[in-house]
C-alpha cells in the first residue's frame, strides 16, 4: 500500500500550524543528540549440549577466580614469639647461652606431667633456684605429640611448651624471671627452654 502525499492546501495548513507552535522546552537543542548503540563485545556462544542429554562441565579448581590468591598471614610459632621478646639480659651472656656455651645450673623435666602438676612443680623449682642464687636453669617441656583431633578446633601439640611463657609472665614467677629463650640443640632444642633468673636481692 503506497503512502499518500499531502495536497498543496494541506501542506500550506501544516506550515501555518508549525509557525504558531512553541517548544515545551526552549533550552533543548533542536537537533536530536546522536544516539548510537554502544559497541559490545560479543558473548561467547554456548557449547552445544551433548546428544545424550548430559551437560558438559569444564574442569575447574576451587578459588581459581579469587581476586587475591596470596597466602594468608599465619600466626608466628612459639619459637618465633620467644625469640622476638626484647633482650633484658647481658648481650654477651645471651649470645653464649644461645650457642649452648653456658651450662645450666639446675634443670627440671615437666614432660609427662598434667598441666596443674607441671605448673606447681615449675613454681616450686624456680622459686627455690632463685632463693639459692642460681641464674641459668633449664626447663624441659617436650615438643608434644600430634594426636588425633577430637574437636572442630585444632589443638597445637605440646601443651606444656605453650603454657610455659604464660606461667613465667604471671606472679609469683614474673618478678624473678629475666629472660626466656629456646634451648640449644645440645640441651634439648625446641623441647626445652633456658630460663635466666634475676639476681637475688
Amino acid at each position: 500500500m503506497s503512502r499518500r502525499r499531502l495536497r498543496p492546501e494541506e501542506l500550506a495548513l501544516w506550515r501555518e500550524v508549525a509557525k504558531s507552535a512553541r517548544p515545551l522546552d526552549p533550552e533543548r537543542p533542536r537537533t536530536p543528540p546522536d544516539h548510537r548503540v554502544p559497541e559490545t563485545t560479543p558473548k561467547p556462544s554456548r557449547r552445544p549440549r551433548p546428544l545424550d542429554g548430559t551437560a558438559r562441565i569444564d574442569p575447574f579448581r576451587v578459588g581459581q577466580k579469587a581476586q587475591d590468591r596470596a597466602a594468608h598471614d599465619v600466626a608466628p610459632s612459639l619459637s618465633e614469639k620467644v625469640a622476638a621478646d626484647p633482650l633484658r639480659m647481658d648481650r654477651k651472656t645471651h649470645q653464649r647461652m644461645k650457642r649452648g656455651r653456658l651450662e645450666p645450673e639446675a634443670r627440671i623435666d615437666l614432660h609427662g606431667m598434667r598441666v596443674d602438676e607441671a605448673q606447681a612443680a615449675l613454681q616450686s623449682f624456680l622459686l627455690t633456684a632463685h632463693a639459692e642464687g642460681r641464674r641459668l636453669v633449664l626447663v624441659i617441656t617436650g615438643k608434644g605429640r600430634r594426636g588425633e583431633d577430637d574437636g572442630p578446633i585444632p589443638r597445637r601439640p605440646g601443651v606444656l611448651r605453650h603454657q610455659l611463657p604464660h606461667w613465667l609472665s604471671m606472679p609469683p614467677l614474673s618478678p624473678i624471671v629475666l629472660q626466656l629463650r629456646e634451648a640449644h640443640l645440645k640441651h634439648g632444642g625446641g623441647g626445652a627452654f633456658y630460663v635466666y633468673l634475676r639476681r637475688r636481692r
Side-chain angles (χ1 to χ4, degrees):
M1 183 177 181
S2 62
R3 191 172 181 181
R4 184 177 72 84
R5 295 191 176 209
L6 293 175
R7 287 182 240 166
E9 61 270 14
E10 292 175 338
L11 187 58
L13 178 62
W14 170 251
R15 285 177 182 162
E16 290 297 324
V17 172
K19 286 179 184 178
S20 63
R22 293 182 183 178
L24 295 176
D25 188 359
E27 296 179 1
R28 185 177 180 181
R30 292 188 179 183
T31 56
D34 187 11
H35 293 291
R36 293 183 181 179
V37 179
E39 295 181 2
T40 58
T41 55
K43 293 183 179 180
S45 59
R46 293 185 177 180
R47 295 182 179 179
R49 188 180 292 271
L51 297 177
D52 59 359
T54 60
R56 178 176 176 177
I57 300 175
D58 292 333
F60 68 95
R61 183 171 52 85
V62 175
Q64 66 184 10
K65 293 186 178 181
Q67 295 294 330
D68 185 14
R69 297 186 187 180
H72 296 288
D73 292 335
V74 182
S77 65
L78 178 63
S79 301
E80 292 170 337
K81 287 181 181 178
V82 171
D85 283 345
L87 186 63
R88 291 181 290 271
M89 60 184 290
D90 178 70
R91 187 174 297 276
K92 289 183 179 180
T93 307
H94 177 258
Q95 288 298 325
R96 293 179 62 204
M97 181 182 75
K98 271 180 56 178
R99 293 170 184 166
R101 294 180 182 174
L102 287 182
E103 197 63 31
E105 302 170 56
R107 66 183 64 208
I108 183 173
D109 190 351
L110 306 177
H111 189 258
M113 295 186 185
R114 295 198 314 265
V115 175
D116 55 342
E117 291 176 341
Q119 185 177 11
L122 178 70
Q123 287 185 6
S124 175
F125 168 74
L126 292 182
L127 291 173
T128 301
H130 182 256
E132 293 173 352
R134 303 183 191 274
R135 301 300 305 277
L136 179 62
V137 297
L138 183 70
V139 178
I140 302 169
T141 60
K143 294 181 180 179
R145 292 181 297 178
R146 186 176 294 278
E148 295 182 1
D149 256 337
D150 54 357
I153 302 175
R155 294 180 299 176
R156 289 182 174 180
V159 177
L160 300 181
R161 184 171 180 269
H162 284 85
Q163 284 290 337
L164 181 63
H166 177 61
W167 290 338
L168 298 182
S169 66
M170 298 188 309
L173 300 180
S174 55
I176 67 171
V177 174
L178 185 62
Q179 197 78 57
L180 173 68
R181 284 293 186 263
E182 196 171 279
H184 189 269
L185 285 174
K186 68 182 288 186
H187 292 134
F193 292 88
Y194 296 129
V195 180
Y196 201 77
L197 301 175
R198 296 182 184 273
R199 290 189 185 275
R200 188 179 59 175
R201 295 178 181 178

